[in-house]
């Protein structure tokens, strides 16, 4: 099922649409990327191509490190990760049911709670994609 | 000598994750994700951040083993981990599309570790594919490093004894070089 999600046109199209909706939910959203858990970019909004590709690789490493820590502490799998910095933050979370992650950069105007809730909406939106339909 | 940090690098499927599992005396930390790039390597999962294991050499020397992701898109992890390392076990799978090219590429990428400590090359999966000979590999090493002393072995990453031989030769190399540098410092 996880074979080449980033090259599946139905998945890529769905990811683009989910990211556009995501953008309409928060003015503080800088850029956002949907990536495979092994670090391939599926779709992005804003950010230059090189940057979003790099972020996709880094986000997959972060997610896996988060999982490694959670596993070590017997907490289950890592749901989301927040990186906070003076001028904003990055939130990344898993797309339920898929080997996909969404990573989003917000400026500090957004509250963390709001950012997390719109990011979760976007992840759930992405999870509506039907890969079975894409393959058929 | 106290604590060594040794990296395991090389292309996807070279056996880095497997080697650390064979060597480690603690439960390894791994960061495997579902592999969507079956063209490059036909396996279920791939390392996306690092592998981590530990082994004690002799009475008390603890060696920290870090495995890297093989794909260049993760080269930021190479940089991060290279900063703390003194040596490199460079694994190349004999059944790769272009093992000699891969070897040259990784030697160049990690040349800094040769200057700082040492490198050893392990050729894996030689049992399943007839690739270049050890002589070919040695020649590639000589060409890409202008005559540096980098030993090359055929190893099976699944075999703890093979990997220990490889690791011990690297550590002996690093320690003798450190001792030599120390002597030269004293003489100066
Ligand atoms: N037949 C054979 N298989 C090996 C050898 N070394 C490693 N493998 C296998 O090669 C596969 C790739 O190993 P892995 O550790 O995931 O590679 P990595 O991408 O470098 O981390 C695993 O299935 C190993 O069991 C070897 O010398 N011979
Ligand atoms: Mg690996």
């Amino acid at each position: 099922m996880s074979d080449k999600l980033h090259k599946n046109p139905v998945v890529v199209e769905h990811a683009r649409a989910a990211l556009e909706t995501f953008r309409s939910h928060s003015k503080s959203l800088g850029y956002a990327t949907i990536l495979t858990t092994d670090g391939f970019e599926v779709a992005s909004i804003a950010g230059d191509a090189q940057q979003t590709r790099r972020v996709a690789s880094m986000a997959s490493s972060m997610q896996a490190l988060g999982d490694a820590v959670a596993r070590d502490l017997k907490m289950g799998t890592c749901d989301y990760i927040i990186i906070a910095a003076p001028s904003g933050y990055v939130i990344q979370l898993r797309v339920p049911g898929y080997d996909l992650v969404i990573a989003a950069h917000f400026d500090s105007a957004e509250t963390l709670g709001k950012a997390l809730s719109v990011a979760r909406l976007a992840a759930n939106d992405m999870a509506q994609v039907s890969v079975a339909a894409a393959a058929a | 000598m106290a604590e060594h940090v040794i990296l395991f690098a090389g292309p996807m499927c070279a056996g880095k994750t497997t080697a650390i599992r064979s060597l480690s005396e603690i439960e390894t930390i791994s960061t495997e994700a579902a592999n969507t790039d079956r063209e490059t390597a036909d396996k279920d999962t791939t390392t996306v951040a690092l592998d981590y294991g530990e082994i004690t050499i002799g009475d008390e020397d603890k060696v920290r083993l870090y495995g890297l992701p093989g794909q260049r898109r993760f080269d930021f992890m190479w940089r991060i981990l290279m900063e703390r390392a003194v040596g490199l076990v460079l694994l190349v799978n004999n059944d790769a599309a272009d093992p000699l090219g891969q070897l040259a590429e990784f030697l160049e990428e990690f040349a800094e570790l040769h200057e700082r400590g040492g490198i050893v090359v392990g050729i894996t999966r030689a049992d399943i594919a007839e690739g270049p000979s050890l002589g070919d590999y040695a020649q590639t090493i000589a060409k890409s490093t202008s005559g540096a002393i980098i030993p090359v072995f055929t190893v099976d990453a699944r075999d703890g004894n093979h990997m220990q031989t490889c690791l011990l030769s690297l550590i002996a190399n690093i320690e003798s070089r450190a001792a030599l540098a120390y002597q030269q410092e004293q003489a100066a």
Side-chain angles (χ1 to χ4, degrees), chain B residues 13 15-18 32 43 45-47 51 68-70:
Chain B
C13 231
K16 304 173 293 292
T17 300
T18 307
E32 297 291 296
K43 55 176 190 166
T45 68
T46 186
T47 308
D51 301 299
L68 303 178

Side-chain angles (χ1 to χ4, degrees), chain B residues 9-14 40 90-108 121-126 128-141 143-144 152-154:
Chain B
M12 200 172 170
C13 231
T40 307
L90 176 49
L91 297 179
V92 177
N93 46 318
N94 213 33
D95 60 340
D98 174 21
L100 295 175
Q102 297 273 25
L103 173 60
E105 209 178 294
F106 277 92
L107 280 174
E108 186 186 338
V121 174
I123 307 303
T124 60
R125 297 167 67 95
I128 51 177
E130 199 175 325
S133 70
L134 273 187
D136 296 333
Y137 285 109
Q139 218 165 36
T140 299
I141 292 171
K143 249 191 289 176
S144 16
V152 51
F153 301 93
T154 303

Side-chain angles (χ1 to χ4, degrees), chain A residues 2-4 6 36-40 54 57-58 60-61 64-65 68 71-72 99, chain B residues 29-39 46 48-50 73-77:
Chain A
S2 66
D3 200 36
K4 288 226 185 70
H6 59 290
T36 63
T37 48
D38 65 339
F40 287 105
R54 275 185 78 72
S57 302
M58 291 192 179
S60 78
S61 301
L65 285 168
R71 191 166 52 236
D72 227 63
D99 290 325
Chain B
I29 296 170
S30 61
T31 59
E32 297 291 296
N35 173 31
T36 66
D37 184 15
R38 295 284 180 148
E39 265 156 38
T46 186
V48 295
L50 50 80
R73 66 180 184 279
F74 294 112
D75 63 358
F76 64 94
M77 286 303 308

Side-chain angles (χ1 to χ4, degrees), chain A:
Chain A
M1 181 194 82
S2 66
D3 200 36
K4 288 226 185 70
L5 286 171
H6 59 290
K7 288 194 179 144
N8 182 323
V10 174
V11 175
V12 172
E13 207 34 62
H14 193 106
R16 281 212 189 98
L19 290 174
E20 284 306 331
T21 310
F22 188 14
R23 171 147 60 189
S24 73
H25 287 158
S26 171
K27 286 199 172 56
S28 292
L29 186 63
Y31 61 81
T33 303
I34 291 177
L35 51 124
T36 63
T37 48
D38 65 339
F40 287 105
E41 178 184 11
V42 177
S44 300
I45 47 166
D48 63 73
Q50 210 188 346
Q51 184 178 43
T52 52
R53 261 204 309 278
R54 275 185 78 72
V55 168
S57 302
M58 291 192 179
S60 78
S61 301
M62 288 290 308
Q63 198 71 34
L65 285 168
D67 278 339
V69 172
R71 191 166 52 236
D72 227 63
L73 296 175
K74 309 217 169 8
M75 297 156 55
T77 56
C78 171
D79 182 14
Y80 60 87
I81 291 173
I82 294 169
I83 299 164
S87 63
Y89 35 92
V90 171
I91 293 179
Q92 60 177 78
L93 69 171
R94 226 173 253 290
V95 174
Y98 288 91
D99 290 325
L100 294 171
V101 170
I102 182 162
H105 167 242
F106 295 86
D107 68 36
S108 39
E110 195 69 278
T111 69
L112 191 56
K114 165 88 189 294
L116 187 56
S117 94
V118 290
R120 211 184 273 288
L121 274 179
N124 289 335
D125 188 358
M126 185 64 218
Q128 301 308 309
V129 68
S130 167
V131 172

Side-chain angles (χ1 to χ4, degrees), chain B residues 2-72:
Chain B
E3 306 222 325
H4 289 302
V5 170
I6 303 293
L7 303 189
F8 287 67
M12 200 172 170
C13 231
K16 304 173 293 292
T17 300
T18 307
I20 290 183
R21 287 184 183 159
S22 311
L23 280 168
S24 182
E25 57 202 17
I26 64 162
E27 195 185 329
T28 58
I29 296 170
S30 61
T31 59
E32 297 291 296
N35 173 31
T36 66
D37 184 15
R38 295 284 180 148
E39 265 156 38
T40 307
D42 191 19
K43 55 176 190 166
D44 292 340
T45 68
T46 186
T47 308
V48 295
L50 50 80
D51 301 299
Y52 179 76
E54 291 174 1
I55 184 170
T56 314
I57 304 277
D59 283 340
E60 53 189 322
D61 286 358
K62 186 150 101 185
V63 183
R64 296 167 186 273
L65 313 167
Y66 285 91
L68 303 178
Q71 304 90 323
R72 191 167 282 279

